[in-house]
Amino acid sequence: MKTITEQFDLLIGGEIKAPVKGEYFDCVNPSNGRVIASIANATKDDMDQAIASAYAANASGVWSSMSTAERGIYLKKIAGVIRDNAKELADIESESTGKLWVRIKSRILDH
């Protein structure tokens, strides 16, 4: 049974990119065998691009020059987005792992 609902590419340097070799792998729901997504199969070349991008971002000083308090503001915003989307994140995790939705949602919200 193959039903792909979404394709996920790579996020490198703030841009969504297809993998260098154009290869993807299926994410399968283990409880029913249904393919729920097609995920970019990153290679060493993709990782090298991502690492170079991360080094460049760090060297720019935008994050590293922020105070701890400023960084904390951003991290709290990220935590809020995770909390606000806990149901969707739990749905995705449950589909891709076959774990019980209730347990996954409580793990997302409790951390």
Side-chain angles (χ1 to χ4, degrees), residues 12-13 47-60:
I12 300 175
M47 290 186 292
D48 288 343
Q49 286 181 19
I51 291 166
S53 175
Y55 274 115
N58 188 53
S60 75

Side-chain angles (χ1 to χ4, degrees), residues 28-89:
V28 178
N29 180 324
S31 67
N32 61 20
R34 186 173 68 87
V35 176
I36 59 172
S38 180
I39 301 173
N41 191 15
T43 63
K44 182 181 181 310
D45 291 336
D46 296 304
M47 290 186 292
D48 288 343
Q49 286 181 19
I51 291 166
S53 175
Y55 274 115
N58 188 53
S60 75
V62 173
W63 181 260
S64 59
S65 65
M66 281 185 199
S67 70
T68 305
E70 289 172 310
R71 290 181 194 178
I73 291 168
Y74 283 102
L75 294 174
K76 284 181 182 179
K77 286 180 182 181
I78 293 168
V81 170
I82 291 169
R83 271 192 304 278
D84 292 346
N85 293 281
K87 182 190 177 309
E88 183 179 359
L89 293 168

Side-chain angles (χ1 to χ4, degrees), residues 1-2 5 8-9 18-19 24 26 35-36 45 48-49 52-53 67 77-78 80 89 91 93 97 102 110:
M1 174 186 316
K2 186 167 184 164
T5 57
F8 293 94
D9 287 315
Y24 293 80
D26 291 340
V35 176
I36 59 172
D45 291 336
D48 288 343
Q49 286 181 19
S53 175
S67 70
K77 286 180 182 181
I78 293 168
L89 293 168
D91 288 345
E93 183 73 8
T97 64
V102 174
D110 292 343

Side-chain angles (χ1 to χ4, degrees), residues 92-107:
I92 293 167
E93 183 73 8
S94 179
E95 278 278 315
S96 66
T97 64
K99 292 181 181 177
L100 293 175
W101 184 89
V102 174
R103 288 191 179 177
I104 292 168
K105 185 169 185 249
S106 68
R107 264 193 27 225

